[in-house]
Amino acid sequence: MGSREAKTQDTLQVHGGENGRPEVPAEESRRLTRDQLFTMAATACLNFSSMSCYSILGPFFPREAEKKGASDTVVGLIFGCFAVSYFLTSLILGNYLVQIGAKFIFVAGMFVSGCITILFGMLDKAPDGPIFIGLCFLVRAMDAIGFAAAMTASFSILAKSFPNNIATVMGSLETFTGLGLVLGPPIGGFLYQSFGYEVPFIVLGCLVLLLVPLNMYLLPKYDAVTSKDSFWTLITLPKVVFLCFTIISVSASFGFLDPTMSLFILEKFKLPAGYVGLVFLALALSYSLSSPLFGLLSDSMPHLRKWFLVFGGLLTALSLFLLGPAPILHIKSKLWMFVLLLVLHGFSTGMISVSLFPEILSCAYENGFEQGLSVLGLVSGLRGAMWSVGAFIGPTLGGFLYEKVGFEWAAAIQGGWSLLSALAIGIFYIRETLQRKRSSLQTPPGTNEERAHLLASET
């Protein structure tokens, strides 16, 4: 135990203060190097293109799948199977990132994702029923493998390139994630209305493939040494367990809307498919615009991260309770209110998501993990895996509940989960703060060396 504590103290001294953030000179942190600029450009391309491909399904695929014989529950499972493959891929590649190579994983993942997106556009030619459904599961799973590979590598590379302001950079780049979410549904909806099922996937898939050679040139290669720290040690840390529950909750609340929202809007507000995509803008725009702000605050005032996680969860729960709205509230659903609550939902998700990666990384450093690409791979793989668990539960449970009890109750149940996660992480942080205060009161005065000498003399 003593050696582990000594290792923790050494790590914090090397990597900077109480939050495990490396100390970087102010001048150096303000100037971006060529490799940093290229890394940001490559990641921006990935975030935009991958989220565009991911989000185009929302406005029209659920209705097309129903025409081919898939029930609402099966549609939810098709959306959710993406997360199962993402989960496994993130865990494996996060653990072996150094051995395989971060740049290779990044570029190869984009190539696979582009090819599979084009292939998804050919599925309407498949026979109705089990064959179509089976191919949807297969192609969606392969798409997840490519997407997970690229994203796991990108998180690690960003944290390696920007060790002192990772939340700020990630928050800024979430703007491109938001742009992909913003432009994917309306572009997909209008291309579908104008040219049919295949064209949206072909256009966006070709866009991803065009970006592959560009990113091969832009992205620097990072050499790294394999660390002795293990994934199991990371995931069994109590704080990380609660953070993982928070990741799953916010991801599920986001993914819940994929198979259900377009069907609810079409049925409730009678909007055409192209305009359904525009409703998705409210969620994506608020997320992309709020993320840079919360990223900047997270880096400049790390103590605010815990409050972002707690209040973000509470706001997410509120938005979901009112989105239907929940039948027990006896409020009539209005389109303007629906859009406003999507804005609140995107805002609260941005508050949570940009705080999670640096909070887990900080916890790892506080517990003696060595700085380097290896531990960054573990953290990014863990974050991606837990996000994918929520991304599976959200659409799967959402599709099932939509079919059984309707959108209003389904959204309320999802809101209850968000409320539970916010209360759980809040109680943990309160308990952690009280324990630290109690420990500081019991600790004898003096320097670390004096306290160690006093402890040795007493024993």
Side-chain angles (χ1 to χ4, degrees):
M1 184 69 181
S3 61
R4 187 68 173 178
E5 290 175 357
K7 184 180 177 185
T8 302
Q9 291 295 331
D10 293 341
T11 303
L12 293 179
Q13 289 170 6
V14 171
H15 303 306
E18 61 188 57
N19 292 295
R21 295 167 65 220
E23 293 178 353
V24 177
E27 259 183 59
E28 183 182 340
S29 65
R30 279 196 294 264
R31 274 197 309 246
L32 294 180
T33 65
R34 178 176 177 271
D35 283 353
Q36 286 177 323
L37 287 171
F38 282 179
T39 299
M40 289 188 70
T43 307
C45 291
L46 170 66
N47 286 6
F48 175 77
S49 60
S50 59
M51 294 314 297
S52 296
C53 295
Y54 177 83
S55 62
I56 60 172
L57 296 180
F60 61 88
F61 179 76
R63 188 64 65 196
E64 282 291 320
E66 285 183 348
K67 293 178 184 176
K68 303 284 281 186
S71 66
D72 291 335
T73 302
V74 171
V75 171
L77 287 171
I78 291 172
F79 276 93
C81 81
F82 183 95
V84 176
S85 296
Y86 196 113
F87 172 81
L88 296 173
T89 305
S90 296
L91 289 182
I92 295 170
L93 295 182
N95 202 35
Y96 294 100
L97 187 79
V98 172
Q99 292 89 330
I100 301 173
K103 180 175 180 177
F104 175 80
I105 292 175
F106 185 102
V107 175
M110 282 199 74
F111 178 77
V112 171
S113 184
C115 292
I116 293 299
T117 299
I118 295 173
L119 187 59
F120 208 103
M122 309 299 171
L123 290 181
D124 66 326
K125 303 293 193 296
D128 295 358
I131 295 179
F132 169 79
I133 293 171
L135 288 174
C136 282
F137 278 112
L138 178 62
V139 174
R140 187 75 168 158
M142 290 298 299
D143 190 26
I145 292 173
F147 186 33
M151 292 303 295
T152 300
S154 73
F155 277 121
S156 303
I157 291 170
L158 280 175
K160 180 73 172 177
S161 301
F162 301 91
N164 201 46
N165 50 0
I166 180 60
T168 302
V169 173
M170 284 187 172
S172 300
L173 290 172
E174 285 303 295
T175 302
F176 294 92
T177 300
L179 281 174
L181 289 170
V182 164
L183 297 177
I187 289 175
F190 284 113
L191 287 176
Y192 168 76
Q193 274 192 327
S194 304
F195 303 104
Y197 177 84
E198 299 93 343
V199 173
F201 297 100
I202 294 173
V203 169
L204 292 177
C206 289
L207 173 63
V208 176
L209 291 179
L210 288 174
L211 293 173
V212 169
L214 176 64
N215 285 339
M216 289 177 67
Y217 170 75
L218 290 179
L219 199 65
K221 184 178 180 181
Y222 291 97
D223 296 321
V225 179
T226 305
S227 171
K228 296 179 182 179
D229 296 310
S230 70
F231 180 82
W232 180 250
T233 305
L234 177 65
I235 200 173
T236 52
L237 296 174
K239 186 175 182 178
V240 172
V241 172
F242 281 92
L243 291 171
C244 287
F245 184 55
T246 303
I247 296 172
I248 294 171
S249 172
V250 69
S251 174
S253 70
F254 222 58
F256 157 78
L257 298 173
D258 284 335
T260 60
M261 192 167 75
S262 63
L263 296 174
F264 178 73
I265 294 171
L266 289 169
E267 178 184 338
K268 192 77 175 179
F269 305 115
K270 312 299 181 185
L271 294 179
Y275 290 97
V276 171
L278 292 176
V279 177
F280 278 74
L281 291 178
L283 179 66
L285 272 177
S286 61
Y287 174 76
S288 62
L289 294 177
S290 63
S291 293
L293 171 63
F294 291 122
L296 180 62
L297 292 173
S298 179
D299 276 331
S300 58
M301 292 178 282
H303 63 278
L304 290 180
R305 290 176 192 154
K306 61 182 69 175
W307 301 113
F308 289 162
L309 296 178
V310 174
F311 287 114
L314 294 175
L315 289 176
T316 300
L318 177 65
S319 66
L320 288 169
F321 278 129
L322 296 175
L323 194 62
I328 57 174
L329 299 176
H330 304 291
I331 301 173
K332 188 175 180 181
S333 181
K334 302 285 187 180
L335 182 58
W336 66 266
M337 185 174 74
F338 191 88
V339 172
L340 184 62
L341 289 166
L342 287 179
V343 171
L344 178 62
H345 188 29
F347 178 85
S348 62
T349 303
M351 186 183 296
I352 298 170
S353 63
V354 298
S355 304
L356 285 167
F357 188 93
E359 192 72 356
I360 297 175
L361 191 59
S362 172
C363 181
Y365 288 152
E366 288 171 2
N367 285 273
F369 281 69
E370 299 175 359
Q371 187 189 29
L373 193 59
S374 183
V375 70
L376 296 175
L378 290 177
V379 174
S380 61
L382 175 63
R383 183 194 181 279
M386 294 302 104
W387 188 275
S388 66
V389 172
F392 172 76
I393 295 174
T396 304
L397 185 61
F400 173 78
L401 290 175
Y402 183 90
E403 188 174 357
K404 299 300 180 183
V405 298
F407 181 84
E408 293 87 349
W409 276 115
I413 292 171
Q414 181 60 55
W417 186 4
S418 298
L419 177 62
L420 178 63
S421 72
L423 294 176
I425 193 67
I427 292 170
F428 176 83
Y429 276 127
I430 292 171
R431 183 172 176 272
E432 182 185 54
T433 302
L434 293 175
Q435 283 181 338
R436 285 181 177 176
K437 287 182 178 179
R438 194 180 304 118
S439 177
S440 65
L441 291 174
Q442 294 173 352
T443 303
T447 63
N448 290 338
E449 290 79 11
E450 290 171 345
R451 288 197 295 269
H453 180 71
L454 178 61
L455 182 61
S457 64
E458 289 176 350
T459 57

